[in-house]
Amino acid sequence: MNAHEFRRRGKEMVDYVADYLEGVEGRQVYPDVEPGYLRPLLPTAAPQEPETFEDIIKDVEKIIMPGVTHWHSPYFFAYFPTASSYPAMLADMLCGAIGCIGFSWAASPACTELETVMMDWLGKMLQLPAVFLAGEAGEGGGVIQGSASEATLVALLAARTKATRRLQAASPGLTQATIMEKLVAYASDQAHSSVERAGLIGGVKLKAIPSDGKFAMRASALQEALERDKAEGLIPFFVVATLGTTSCCSFDNLLEVGPICREEDVWLHVDAAYAGSAFICPEFRHLLNGVEYADSFNFNPHKWLLVNFDCSAMW
Ligand SMILES: *Cc1c(COP(=O)(O)O)cnc(C)c1O
């Protein structure tokens, strides 16, 4: 495809996308297909001869769309809302065109710097404490992760390393393996499944704290678990508090849980994946009170802030 054809196909694609979204209400929200429906409809290996763009687009309607769950249909009420917007789609196109990699400042200065500035904008919109922001000095600040699941894993691994170093500094003979056997992470029984997965990948125990009548993690239940585990010689090192659980949008009590984590020298990660965007509204900001106790905080602009997947903001 040369630039001439790209201009033409690009305009066609924009029309296809706009038609899709304008007409999404008319499509069946959940597909009628059985698992494995797609494989028999496709060649077993990549074709040797190219196909025309028209034929490929026809295949999209014929074999892909019948297997798509239409998350942007007005009749979609499953899971959680996932963001999509025309400006974000245009931005994705530009990102694809620039096609840069941002692993260091020099790899693409604008890429690194724009991320830092936008993360500060978001942090200020949420009124995060100043220590979360990069500011003029450019120290600290947030980073974009692919997903909230990744953010939780990154936080857990960082907390594990921090705890391991602290314990080894106090008792130089301790091996990492001995320490890891004893490390325990905690989250409410309402936490997202990705928290349990982070514990599995990180090779540490994860314990579910029973939530109260409003599906919130409270001080008493957490304190009880910490005391029991410490008495057994285990080492609590990580707590995930959820602000807006995926199942029912309940809120762990950050003002109770935060001080306990600080007292016990336990890393507090706050997962506000989907409800986090709401804290931009002054009337909901109080639900974020206690974030000043957090070691790390995360929410997903790709859920409720008009940015297409994937964009998970982590500080
Ligand atoms: C959706 C959700 C997640 C997972 O988000 P991904 O970005 O898809 O990994 C984690 N925690 C909560 C509370 C969620 O609602």
Side-chain angles (χ1 to χ4, degrees):
M1 191 179 286
N2 55 24
H4 176 72
E5 192 184 358
F6 175 70
R7 286 177 200 278
R8 183 172 142 219
R9 300 306 186 189
K11 284 164 194 150
E12 288 172 17
M13 183 59 88
V14 166
D15 281 338
Y16 181 83
V17 167
D19 286 346
Y20 167 71
L21 288 170
E22 281 188 334
V24 71
E25 181 170 357
R27 293 185 188 251
Q28 183 175 320
V29 186
Y30 188 72
D32 258 339
V33 296
E34 297 293 325
Y37 94 96
L38 186 59
R39 190 175 280 273
L41 301 177
L42 292 173
T44 50
Q48 292 296 329
E49 297 299 324
E51 289 186 25
T52 63
F53 189 78
E54 280 87 357
D55 281 345
I56 293 169
I57 288 293
K58 272 188 210 143
D59 277 352
V60 171
E61 268 307 323
K62 214 166 64 204
I63 65 181
I64 303 302
M65 283 300 181
V68 168
T69 302
H70 299 286
W71 283 58
H72 299 287
S73 162
Y75 302 115
F76 178 92
F77 299 110
Y79 312 119
F80 47 81
T82 187
S84 169
S85 67
Y86 290 124
M89 283 182 248
L90 292 176
D92 266 356
M93 232 174 126
L94 179 59
C95 288
I98 295 172
C100 73
I101 307 289
F103 57 77
S104 67
W105 182 85
S108 195
C111 174
T112 301
E113 296 199 14
L114 185 62
E115 179 181 10
T116 313
V117 174
M118 291 301 107
M119 291 297 288
D120 270 7
W121 279 21
L122 277 180
K124 283 179 185 169
M125 286 158 78
L126 295 173
Q127 295 181 46
L128 289 181
V131 292
F132 284 81
L133 307 180
E136 299 290 316
E139 282 189 14
V143 284
I144 297 174
Q145 303 288 345
S147 66
S149 312
E150 244 174 278
T152 303
L153 176 62
V154 167
L156 180 135
L157 295 179
R160 192 186 77 179
T161 300
K162 192 180 175 200
T164 305
R165 287 194 184 154
R166 187 184 69 225
L167 293 160
Q168 285 180 327
S171 333
L174 277 181
T175 65
Q176 190 177 359
T178 319
I179 294 169
M180 267 180 59
E181 271 181 2
K182 294 186 178 169
L183 292 178
V184 193
Y186 304 84
S188 114
D189 55 14
Q190 300 298 308
H192 191 268
S193 57
S194 57
V195 178
E196 186 182 355
R197 187 169 48 194
L200 289 170
I201 298 173
V204 294
K205 289 179 211 32
L206 182 99
K207 300 208 177 177
I209 304 296
S211 51
D212 72 0
K214 288 186 168 174
F215 303 106
M217 178 161 60
R218 304 290 305 272
S220 51
L222 177 64
Q223 192 79 60
E224 208 180 296
L226 292 176
E227 295 311 327
R228 190 175 348 107
D229 288 346
K230 283 193 296 181
E232 287 179 15
L234 298 173
I235 305 166
F237 81 107
F238 187 63
V239 170
V240 177
T242 307
L243 297 183
T245 56
T246 324
S247 50
C248 69
C249 205
S250 60
F251 287 75
D252 289 338
N253 194 321
L254 215 50
L255 288 168
E256 287 185 9
V257 167
I260 295 177
C261 293
R262 184 153 292 183
E263 178 79 12
E264 302 278 346
D265 210 355
V266 162
W267 184 300
L268 174 62
H269 176 67
V270 174
D271 175 10
Y274 107 81
S277 302
F279 304 146
I280 295 169
C281 305
E283 66 271 33
F284 295 127
R285 173 55 181 79
H286 68 97
L287 292 165
L288 186 58
N289 289 348
V291 72
E292 55 278 10
Y293 295 106
D295 293 275
S296 50
F297 168 79
N298 170 257
F299 87 102
N300 282 354
H302 71 226
K303 273 186 172 155
W304 215 7
L305 206 57
L306 300 172
V307 181
N308 302 334
F309 194 84
D310 51 351
C311 178
S312 189
M314 181 188 194
W315 288 264

